[in-house]
Amino acid sequence: MLGPVSRRAAVVAALIGFALPLAGCGSPPGSGSPTTTALFPPRPVTVDVSGLHPCDLVDGTRRAEFGLDAGRPGEVTIDGKRSPTCTYLGRTPKIDSSVQFLPIPATDLARAPGTELGSLGGYGVVRSLDSSVSLPGCDIIVDIADDTSLRTQSQALPANLRSADSNDDVLCDRSRDLANAVLEELADH
């Protein structure tokens, strides 16, 4: 069983591991990326996250609902652009989560193999499940602007899922619920 420091290292490694491949997800020059409306429903509103940090969008009440500790702010760089993150370690069950602003259109991420499209609160969503043996996880990426996406991720060690009598599906449920909570908070800004 990993302790908090080891779990934090695993979550940070997963964030970095996710961010690095994104740098190559842009459309080739001259290819013309698909429009948002081709893949997703029209957004209820375009969300501007400038001046906001993901850690400011999940308050103590919400963290308690999700069984998360206080978030740890971070930042990665994707294609030379900042991508602020907030990593939360899970208490009970031990499902770790993160919230991130990606400087990438959700339409670019929708083309990745194994993704599923859907919607949440009227916004287009890309869902990606990683059922790895060592650290399964689920990403929900929400189309909030032409050049920015909201990403929530939940991960857990298989032993933690078993001890909570859960499976990988609970990770996507958690990511979706967390994305919904963040969207509600963004609506107030």
Side-chain angles (χ1 to χ4, degrees), residues 39-179:
L39 295 175
F40 301 124
R43 291 180 206 106
V45 65
T46 297
V47 179
D48 180 8
V49 296
S50 56
L52 298 176
H53 194 280
C55 284
D56 298 333
L57 301 174
V58 183
D59 65 18
T61 302
R62 289 291 184 151
R63 287 193 314 270
E65 289 173 15
F66 287 108
L68 299 172
D69 71 348
R72 287 160 187 79
E75 187 171 304
V76 295
T77 303
I78 300 172
D79 281 344
K81 298 174 187 161
R82 60 185 292 272
S83 179
T85 65
C86 192
T87 303
Y88 303 93
L89 295 181
R91 294 180 186 156
T92 305
K94 294 194 178 303
I95 298 175
D96 302 329
S97 297
S98 64
V99 178
Q100 182 175 20
F101 298 143
L102 296 173
I104 298 170
T107 53
D108 286 0
L109 302 172
R111 296 182 295 219
T115 59
E116 295 178 13
L117 301 182
S119 64
L120 178 66
Y123 292 89
V125 168
V126 179
R127 176 183 166 237
S128 176
L129 176 66
D130 179 9
S131 295
S132 79
V133 174
S134 59
L135 192 63
C138 183
D139 290 351
I140 298 292
I141 298 151
V142 185
D143 175 48
I144 59 171
D146 289 343
D147 59 355
T148 306
S149 303
L150 166 68
R151 174 183 172 251
T152 57
Q153 179 187 61
S154 296
Q155 294 181 312
L157 295 170
N160 292 342
L161 290 175
R162 284 190 302 274
S163 71
D165 199 24
S166 294
N167 57 34
D168 293 359
D169 292 338
V170 75
L171 299 175
C172 286
D173 294 343
R174 165 69 64 92
S175 291
R176 179 174 283 283
D177 292 346
L178 185 57

Side-chain angles (χ1 to χ4, degrees), residues 26-36 38-39 107-108 111:
S27 300
S31 70
S33 65
T35 64
T36 299
L39 295 175
T107 53
D108 286 0
R111 296 182 295 219

Side-chain angles (χ1 to χ4, degrees), residues 6-18:
S6 297
R7 284 179 42 223
R8 186 175 314 121
V11 171
V12 170
L15 277 172
I16 292 169
F18 181 76

